Amino acid sequence: MKTAAIYIRVSTDSQAEEGYSIEAQKEQLSAYCVSKGIKQYEFYIDGGWSGSNIERPQMQRLIEDISADKISHVIVYKLDRLSRSQKDTLYLIEDVFNPHGVDFVSLNESMDTSTPMGRLMLGILSAFAQLERENIRLRTRMGMKERVKSGLWMGGGRVPFGYDYDKEHGVLVPNRDAEKVRQIYKLYIQGKAPQEIANLLGLKYDRLVYQILMRKSNYGVIEYNGEEYQGRHEPIISKELYDVAMRCMLERKFVRANTSEHLLTGLLHCGKCGAKMRYQKWGNKGCKLVCYSQQKSKLYLVKDPDCDQERVWADEVETAVIRSVFEFANNYKPSETESLAPDDTVALLYEQQRTLNKKIKKLYNIYASEEDNEILLETIDELKKKLGQINEQIDLNTKDDSILARKRERAELLMTVNELWDTMDAGQRKHIIRKLVNKVVITDSHVHIDFSL
């Protein structure tokens, strides 16, 4: 059976003289328990302790007993007996009492969280607590922005590779990995692949190489919320070297996008372990599709080192995917929302919105020139209701517009893919497949296609 906890605190002799003595509180609080039919209660008394924090012996014992689910109520004479800190009071109520179903009673404030009015007061206190937390976050963000503007590092969190964080001075300091950062830029500009660089320098995976290459903090700039600020820290590389690396990255992306002849790159998944699959040259006969779990070049892509996925011929899978796309297109019937006719709905709604605004403005002008005209007011109210409905329709249509546009684009592709496929080049075919297919799952020789419609 749970016990009601009577918490009593007196910090000074003067408080005892003012009626807050331990005996006075015990008398009134025990009388309250009797009046409410609470027969089992225990005293928790902190005599001579300040209410500025909750580091008090009996308060800590109370928190422990609540955590052990021994307490049904916490009863105090006055709210400030619990704590003089609003933050601590709300912490005790929200994070200690409420999670363990403990009702809180304060005699002086007539607060009892077991009653509707008490819960209302608690809700008000919680709202103030939330407001304070939001204000703290806002002040923290503002302080962080001012800190970054002055060139100091954000502090805490993840420190960029190649740097340590000097807490005393608030700046980044190059460490022994800074030379690796310089080597990454040098090797990448020389034409080395990110995975090859990662292997040479003992990094875990190629994505880390990309991340390091793109960090502007390497040449002395701090990025914060989309803005750039000149940092006080020592750069590892020059801005010119960074720009050269970024140009190389763009050129390589362009080359990869225009030279890869493989139709299903990026869409292939192993049906046995869930890892991605890749094209692999297989002698003079073509390419096979291989599960990355069976490859050791990119360990972070391995899902199951013991995966026994069969290696299948890529051209057979591509043929199966193309055939399925054609079959899907032949059986496809667009819905009304995917109609290819131009959609003038939003334009018409905006026109109605302008017309109603003009009418309402005109009626207000007429009303202002007359002493009293209830009919005009009723008409204005009706027009404003219509305007509100139109505004809601505009919001809904605008929100769905991008989704609808994508659906219509896919519908148009499905209706024309059979006719145009033979006239398309490799790049156009890859574009079509990526618009229509989310992924291709291969389980041994079985091919499952997940369409994007």
Side-chain angles (χ1 to χ4, degrees):
M1 186 175 179
K2 291 187 177 182
T3 300
I6 295 178
Y7 181 77
I8 295 171
R9 182 184 66 81
V10 175
S11 59
T12 63
D13 292 338
S14 61
Q15 283 190 343
E17 292 171 3
E18 292 169 5
Y20 294 151
S21 70
I22 291 174
E23 290 305 318
Q25 292 184 56
K26 286 177 71 173
E27 182 180 344
Q28 294 196 46
L29 293 172
S30 57
Y32 171 83
C33 289
V34 172
S35 70
K36 295 294 182 180
I38 301 173
K39 296 179 180 180
Q40 190 167 326
Y41 55 86
E42 183 176 348
F43 292 103
Y44 293 75
I45 302 172
D46 278 317
W49 288 87
S50 168
S52 60
N53 58 64
I54 58 175
E55 299 303 320
R56 304 167 231 147
Q58 291 300 296
M59 173 58 73
Q60 292 302 309
R61 183 170 76 91
L62 175 60
I63 292 173
E64 289 175 7
D65 287 349
I66 290 172
S67 299
D69 289 325
K70 296 178 181 179
I71 305 300
S72 61
H73 296 68
V74 172
I75 306 167
V76 298
Y77 174 71
K78 194 177 180 182
L79 202 56
D80 64 9
R81 300 300 90 197
L82 192 68
S83 174
R84 287 190 176 275
S85 164
Q86 184 188 34
K87 180 181 73 173
D88 286 341
T89 300
L90 289 166
Y91 161 75
L92 289 170
I93 293 173
E94 289 188 331
D95 297 335
V96 180
F97 301 171
N98 287 350
H100 294 277
V102 174
D103 290 325
F104 174 65
V105 178
S106 174
L107 263 62
N108 194 71
E109 286 83 9
S110 299
M111 183 178 183
D112 181 352
T113 60
S114 66
T115 67
M117 185 58 69
R119 287 192 290 273
L120 174 62
M121 288 187 66
L122 179 60
I124 293 169
L125 285 173
S126 299
F128 277 111
Q130 180 63 30
L131 177 62
E132 180 60 19
R133 285 192 288 269
E134 293 294 335
N135 285 335
I136 289 170
R137 278 196 287 268
L138 179 61
R139 288 194 295 270
T140 301
R141 285 196 297 268
M142 291 175 66
M144 187 69 72
K145 185 174 181 179
E146 290 304 313
R147 179 183 177 84
V148 173
K149 282 174 69 175
S150 68
L152 300 176
W153 185 247
M154 282 86 75
R158 299 174 65 180
V159 178
F161 183 84
Y163 282 104
D164 290 325
Y165 177 54
D166 182 347
K167 291 183 179 179
E168 183 179 350
H169 298 96
V171 296
L172 296 173
V173 179
N175 59 24
R176 62 183 181 181
D177 288 323
E179 184 55 37
K180 279 189 179 180
V181 174
R182 296 186 189 98
Q183 287 295 317
I184 287 170
Y185 283 93
K186 181 180 177 181
L187 293 169
Y188 187 77
I189 291 169
Q190 288 175 354
K192 298 286 186 184
Q195 186 61 55
E196 188 178 0
I197 296 172
N199 294 338
L200 285 170
L201 299 179
L203 301 177
K204 190 174 181 181
Y205 45 71
D206 59 343
R207 281 184 297 176
L208 182 56
V209 173
Y210 277 118
Q211 291 166 8
I212 292 170
L213 285 168
M214 297 179 70
R215 282 183 189 142
K216 296 181 180 179
S217 54
N218 290 331
Y219 68 84
V221 167
I222 300 174
E223 290 185 285
Y224 182 72
N225 279 349
E227 299 288 337
E228 294 181 8
Y229 304 94
Q230 185 59 49
R232 295 186 190 180
H233 61 279
E234 178 187 340
I236 294 176
I237 61 165
S238 67
K239 174 68 162 56
E240 290 73 23
L241 186 64
Y242 177 87
D243 289 340
V244 171
M246 292 303 101
R247 283 198 295 272
C248 289
M249 192 176 291
L250 284 173
E251 289 169 2
R252 292 191 198 183
K253 284 182 179 178
F254 178 80
V255 169
R256 285 198 303 273
N258 288 276
T259 58
S260 176
E261 73 281 8
H262 301 312
L263 182 69
L264 304 176
T265 299
L267 299 176
L268 299 162
H269 294 260
C270 173
K272 290 196 171 182
C273 72
K276 292 185 177 181
M277 299 184 71
R278 64 183 289 264
Y279 284 81
Q280 185 172 358
K281 185 73 173 173
W282 211 262
N284 296 323
K285 297 181 179 180
C287 290
K288 282 195 173 185
L289 301 178
V290 181
C291 174
Y292 266 111
S293 286
Q294 300 169 353
Q295 303 285 296
K296 305 305 177 187
S297 59
K298 296 185 178 182
L299 293 176
Y300 66 93
L301 290 176
V302 174
K303 299 289 186 182
D304 178 7
D306 300 320
C307 180
D308 61 353
Q309 167 67 43
E310 180 183 333
R311 300 183 179 191
V312 295
W313 288 106
D315 58 349
E316 293 177 2
V317 174
E318 288 180 355
T319 301
V321 170
I322 294 168
R323 187 186 303 116
S324 294
V325 168
F326 286 176
E327 289 175 0
F328 188 82
N330 288 335
N331 297 322
Y332 174 73
K333 294 181 180 179
S335 64
E336 291 183 11
T337 56
E338 294 167 341
S339 168
L340 299 178
D343 183 17
D344 295 326
T345 304
V346 176
L348 289 171
L349 287 170
Y350 275 121
E351 182 59 36
Q352 292 176 26
Q353 183 191 59
R354 284 191 293 270
T355 302
L356 281 174
N357 277 322
K358 287 179 182 179
K359 286 183 179 180
I360 292 170
K361 184 177 180 180
K362 186 176 180 180
L363 290 174
Y364 268 125
N365 288 333
I366 296 171
Y367 179 77
S369 64
E370 298 184 12
E371 293 184 0
D372 187 19
N373 195 324
E374 294 296 329
I375 297 176
L376 269 180
L377 282 178
E378 290 176 5
T379 306
I380 291 171
D381 285 340
E382 289 176 5
L383 292 177
K384 286 171 73 174
K385 287 178 183 177
K386 288 182 181 179
L387 182 61
Q389 294 170 355
I390 288 172
N391 288 336
E392 288 179 5
Q393 291 180 47
I394 289 174
D395 289 341
L396 288 172
N397 277 274
T398 304
K399 188 182 295 182
D400 295 338
D401 189 55
S402 60
I403 298 172
L404 200 56
R406 288 196 296 272
K407 283 186 176 182
R408 286 175 178 160
E409 181 185 12
R410 288 194 291 264
E412 185 174 7
L413 290 174
L414 284 167
M415 294 173 69
T416 58
V417 64
N418 285 351
E419 300 174 14
L420 301 179
W421 185 263
D422 290 337
T423 65
M424 295 177 182
D425 59 28
Q428 291 170 327
R429 289 178 177 178
K430 283 191 294 182
H431 173 75
I432 294 292
I433 293 296
R434 277 153 185 74
K435 286 288 184 181
L436 301 177
V437 176
N438 281 328
K439 62 181 179 180
V440 177
V441 181
I442 301 172
T443 308
D444 289 333
S445 58
H446 176 73
V447 179
H448 172 75
I449 301 164
D450 178 18
F451 288 97
S452 60
L453 291 171

